[in-house]
Amino acid sequence: MSLMPPDPDRGHLVRAADAEVVGRAPTTVRLLADSSATGGALSTQRVTLTEGANGATPHHHARSAELFYVLDGTAQLLCGEQVVTAGRGDLVVVPPKTAHAFAAAPGEHADLLIVITPGVERFEYFRHLERIAYGKVPPESLLDVQELYDTYFQQSVPWTDARA
């Protein structure tokens, strides 16, 4: 629960203990601020990955940039055709229309703060991913909501090779 109601003119505070948590190990997502809470400026979540766990598969956003800040651990990130390894305190920004993906580096954990700007309503997207993980809806159901969440899935040989 937020200490302050969603009002982009007054700000938005979410206490760590009050953030909605989606998923469970190996991938846990803390929903922090959706686009509607920030006047469309951004949406943000914290993603925690256990050792070597996959985060998001290759995709791009047509309208938004995505920022990845490594709070702890080591992550592998796809940015375009390049796979980079980022450690604690590193920042990776992916421009709109650029393929990207993320995961914990092999043998490492990763704790990431992810910001999408301009914001897209993303909380329901992560809830949808949770329903897929629990077998409540098929993975193909994401194809029906790509435009809604500005998330377009694609193949990436560099990512597939890096994660093999």
Side-chain angles (χ1 to χ4, degrees):
M1 168 193 275
S2 300
L3 177 65
M4 298 185 301
D7 181 349
D9 295 327
R10 291 184 38 206
H12 184 67
L13 173 63
V14 177
R15 299 284 183 196
D18 294 333
E20 179 182 348
V21 177
V22 176
R24 60 178 181 234
T27 304
T28 305
V29 181
R30 285 172 180 75
L31 305 177
L32 300 174
D34 222 348
S35 179
S36 57
T38 65
L42 59 89
S43 27
T44 186
Q45 56 278 330
R46 181 177 179 176
V47 177
T48 304
L49 304 164
T50 60
E51 288 187 14
N54 289 315
T57 60
H59 65 282
H60 74 274
H61 307 291
R63 300 178 303 275
S64 298
E66 192 160 2
L67 173 152
F68 298 88
Y69 181 77
V70 182
L71 297 166
D72 196 28
T74 307
Q76 277 186 320
L77 297 114
L78 171 69
C79 186
E81 294 295 312
Q82 182 180 6
V83 177
V84 298
T85 300
R88 185 175 188 211
D90 290 345
L91 173 77
V92 176
V93 178
V94 180
K97 300 179 182 167
T98 302
H100 58 283
F102 65 91
E108 300 286 336
H109 74 280
D111 192 8
L112 306 167
L113 179 67
I114 301 174
V115 178
I116 297 172
T117 184
V120 175
E121 289 294 301
R122 300 280 291 170
F123 285 11
E124 191 54 38
Y125 171 76
F126 288 104
R127 293 174 187 128
H128 191 118
L129 290 175
E130 182 178 50
R131 288 190 293 275
I132 290 170
Y134 295 154
K136 295 178 180 179
V137 296
E140 308 81 53
S141 63
L142 277 178
L143 298 176
D144 297 333
V145 294
Q146 290 183 102
E147 190 171 326
L148 178 63
Y149 299 118
D150 190 27
T151 301
Y152 301 90
F153 301 98
Q154 59 191 85
Q155 298 296 316
S156 169
V157 172
W159 184 251
T160 301
D161 291 348
R163 296 301 292 170

